[in-house]
Amino acid sequence: MDKHINVPFSKEEAKKLKIGEYVYLSGTIYTARDAAHKRMDEALNNEEELPFNIEGNIIYYMGPSPAREGRPIGSAGPTTASRMDKYTPRLLDMGMIGMVGKGKRTDAVKDAVIRNGAVYFAAVGGAGALLSKAIISSEVIAYDDLGTEAIRKLEIKDFPVIVVMDSEGNDLYKAVTAGMQKRI
Amino acid sequence: MREINVSDITSNIKEMCIEAAHFLSGDMSRAFNAAVENESSELGKKVLSQLKDNLKIAGEEMIPICQDTGMAVVFMEIGQDLHFTGGNLEEAINEGVRQGYKEGYLRKSVVSDPIERINTKDNTPAVIHYNIVLGEKVKITVAPKGFGSENMSRIFMLKPADGIEGVKNAVLTAVRDAGPNACPPMVVGVGIGGTFEKCAILAKKALTRPVDMPSDIPYVKELECELLDRINSMGIGPGGLGGKITAMAINIETYATHIAGLPVAVNICCHVNRHAVREL
């Protein structure tokens, strides 16, 4: 059954989400991909603040194509999450509630998801034009020099995602290939 | 000897970059529609339906199909009786990429150095493969490659004793490892033979062959059919969320090789498999 939830959300909310569920997200999320993660990690090493409050928030692994005139953003689909795995456990331990991306994660990320009661969603890879329609506004809030890799604050409405790793560490990708997820 | 001004190369490459980012090629369109017909898993069908809507929005509103509009790979098959005038051919190709990515609102995804990683801000340089052929025409293939799938590609330097079973295992291993990362339903390009670099180029070239045109070598055609069946029984499915359409096609190209070797390259591509082809 499809669910609608607002971001940011609590751990109690996260706990209710189960793998295979189709969810529409609304509210505020932040984008960051490879280069922004590296910078955030360096900032934390230098005991500096992150450019936004990570607690209860979601990072969307995404670098958009340029917006045409009159549009908030260009094509805006997910990038492969595993490239962020090196940095993710630290952000989850700081209270990040979820991630939107695509593809497999390491066991270190899974452990951090369980430890913190977080959730990993997939958006459909290669559906950047469609997903851009669920983005109402986009504002670069940090690392502007990184171009497409800058951190953006996005307002979203009914942004479609699927729970691929839930707060108990169940992994939809593994389940489907193990043939265990017959109901899907 | 026929002459062609390199400015014609620039303008064509510009248009082809924009075309490939917004519209499926005819062969990919047919393959995609067949996938929509044949998928039966609930989430798989939902993913394909989203991708179908995505293609419609992309074409109608000129929003790139995928935000990763790729690094431009350009194959130039140049007739030996053709003479380029008006400037440097390589610069003309890169200028076409530069103009296409700017005017088409395509993402600039290229960094000038793999370690220093400074964005070139115009998506140049392209990766260009030249091939000299008979005649006085030039066939241009522009195949911008996204790195979600490129990163999942593999090269295996097998031994001759590994034989065709070794080749099958290599392809299935690469596809299994790629799984959801490569935006399935994918297209799989395979190169067998040649040297280390030759088989990688063959695999890339294989992706540009129409996906509904099987190999004309009988055993290769059989291998393509068998591997497609086996890939689609893995259960990865659209988006990696389960289903029977994990790949829409597998294209295999072969070349002569050394008595001591059996190189196999597997170039994974997403469901868009961008390629635009023109002959001038």
Side-chain angles (χ1 to χ4, degrees):
Chain A
M1 201 169 61
D2 298 351
K3 285 188 174 177
H4 289 76
I5 54 176
N6 288 314
V7 192
F9 57 82
S10 64
K11 287 189 180 185
E12 288 67 41
E13 195 80 44
K15 201 174 277 184
K16 292 181 205 154
L17 298 167
K18 300 294 168 209
I19 55 167
E21 283 181 330
Y22 206 82
V23 180
Y24 291 94
L25 301 175
S26 296
T28 306
I29 59 173
Y30 296 88
T31 71
R33 42 172 296 152
D34 309 57
H37 272 79
K38 185 163 184 276
R39 277 208 198 165
M40 287 196 288
D41 200 56
E42 286 163 359
L44 293 173
N45 289 343
N46 296 330
E47 298 181 358
E48 293 163 15
E49 297 262 300
L50 292 183
F52 62 96
N53 179 17
I54 194 103
E55 204 169 341
N57 270 311
I58 284 181
I59 290 184
Y60 180 24
Y61 303 135
M62 192 276 287
S65 65
R68 284 183 184 271
E69 289 74 16
R71 291 209 180 106
I73 204 159
S75 193
T79 196
T80 309
S82 59
R83 295 195 315 275
M84 271 50 79
D85 284 356
K86 182 180 167 188
Y87 308 109
T88 299
R90 188 177 200 177
L91 298 174
L92 286 166
D93 288 338
M94 290 177 68
M96 176 167 73
I97 197 71
M99 305 146 280
V100 178
K102 66 173 167 88
K104 305 172 204 176
R105 310 305 300 257
T106 55
D107 284 343
V109 171
K110 184 173 95 175
D111 293 345
V113 162
I114 298 169
R115 183 163 70 236
N116 295 290
V119 59
Y120 169 46
F121 301 101
V124 172
L130 175 80
L131 292 168
S132 77
K133 294 294 194 178
I135 297 170
I136 302 161
S137 71
S138 163
E139 180 197 352
V140 173
I141 58 156
Y143 313 150
D144 196 14
D145 60 298
L146 294 179
T148 186
E149 293 205 69
I151 293 185
R152 288 172 169 78
K153 181 182 179 183
L154 305 181
E155 299 301 325
I156 55 173
K157 175 97 175 83
D158 294 333
F159 189 93
V161 294
I162 299 124
V163 180
V164 284
M165 187 183 289
D166 61 30
S167 59
E168 292 172 348
N170 298 305
D171 183 332
L172 179 63
Y173 294 132
K174 283 188 181 150
V176 295
T177 45
M180 295 180 335
Q181 206 67 19
K182 290 294 178 204
R183 68 186 173 87
I184 296 162
Chain B
M1 182 177 288
R2 184 171 166 247
E3 290 195 345
I4 188 165
N5 194 294
V6 293
S7 62
D8 289 340
I9 302 295
T10 296
S11 57
N12 276 282
I13 292 208
K14 176 185 93 171
E15 290 168 8
M16 291 162 84
C17 287
I18 296 172
E19 178 189 318
H22 293 89
F23 303 95
L24 285 191
S25 55
D27 60 317
M28 286 309 304
S29 193
R30 289 188 291 277
F32 183 79
N33 289 334
V36 172
E37 290 287 311
N38 293 323
E39 184 53 68
S40 53
S41 91
E42 196 187 318
L43 269 178
K45 283 200 286 195
K46 206 153 183 171
V47 168
L48 291 175
S49 133
Q50 272 197 22
L51 292 175
K52 196 174 178 184
D53 292 346
N54 183 65
L55 290 167
K56 188 165 180 287
I57 294 168
E60 286 177 4
E61 301 189 33
M62 290 306 279
I63 302 172
I65 297 170
C66 177
Q67 75 291 337
D68 184 356
T69 48
M71 185 168 196
V73 177
V74 180
F75 288 95
M76 299 288 290
E77 279 180 38
I78 301 167
Q80 63 184 27
D81 295 322
L82 180 64
H83 179 218
F84 292 101
T85 61
N88 179 318
L89 176 62
E90 188 143 328
E91 280 174 17
I93 293 169
N94 280 319
E95 182 58 26
V97 170
R98 186 174 290 121
Q99 291 179 12
Y101 275 71
K102 182 167 189 291
E103 292 177 31
Y105 291 81
L106 310 184
R107 196 178 78 181
K108 287 72 178 176
S109 311
V110 174
V111 292
S112 61
D113 179 278
I115 300 302
E116 292 170 351
R117 308 199 75 83
I118 308 297
N119 197 305
T120 63
K121 295 194 159 68
D122 61 7
N123 221 58
T124 67
V127 172
I128 309 168
H129 302 289
Y130 298 99
N131 197 15
I132 307 297
V133 298
L134 286 176
E136 54 175 23
K137 289 184 171 172
V138 55
K139 183 179 169 194
I140 307 171
T141 304
V142 176
K145 190 66 165 72
F147 261 56
S149 54
E150 193 73 352
N151 279 338
M152 305 317 293
S153 303
R154 301 274 294 274
I155 288 188
F156 302 83
M157 299 304 284
L158 301 181
K159 298 174 181 68
D162 294 327
I164 198 160
E165 287 306 317
V167 171
K168 290 176 192 171
N169 284 337
V171 174
L172 295 172
T173 298
V175 170
R176 191 177 298 117
D177 290 351
N181 294 28
C183 295
M186 50 184 115
V187 178
V188 183
V190 179
I192 309 173
T195 47
F196 181 78
E197 86 289 3
K198 177 70 178 179
C199 82
I201 295 171
L202 285 175
K204 179 74 72 192
K205 196 80 202 291
L207 288 172
T208 69
R209 194 176 88 206
V211 292
D212 42 13
M213 186 194 286
S215 170
D216 51 17
I217 303 168
Y219 91 85
V220 178
K221 182 179 173 180
E222 272 178 42
L223 187 59
E224 288 171 345
C225 288
E226 182 190 331
L227 285 173
L228 185 61
D229 282 347
R230 289 177 68 178
I231 289 167
N232 285 338
S233 64
M234 285 180 182
I236 296 168
L241 303 177
K244 59 183 182 184
I245 312 294
T246 298
M248 290 183 286
I250 168 167
N251 281 355
I252 302 175
E253 294 288 327
T254 59
Y255 195 74
T257 191
H258 188 277
I259 50 173
L262 175 51
V264 179
V266 185
N267 198 188
I268 307 277
C269 201
C270 67
H271 74 280
V272 186
N273 189 26
R274 288 173 286 231
H275 55 278
V277 185
R278 289 187 189 180
E279 195 171 65
L280 306 180

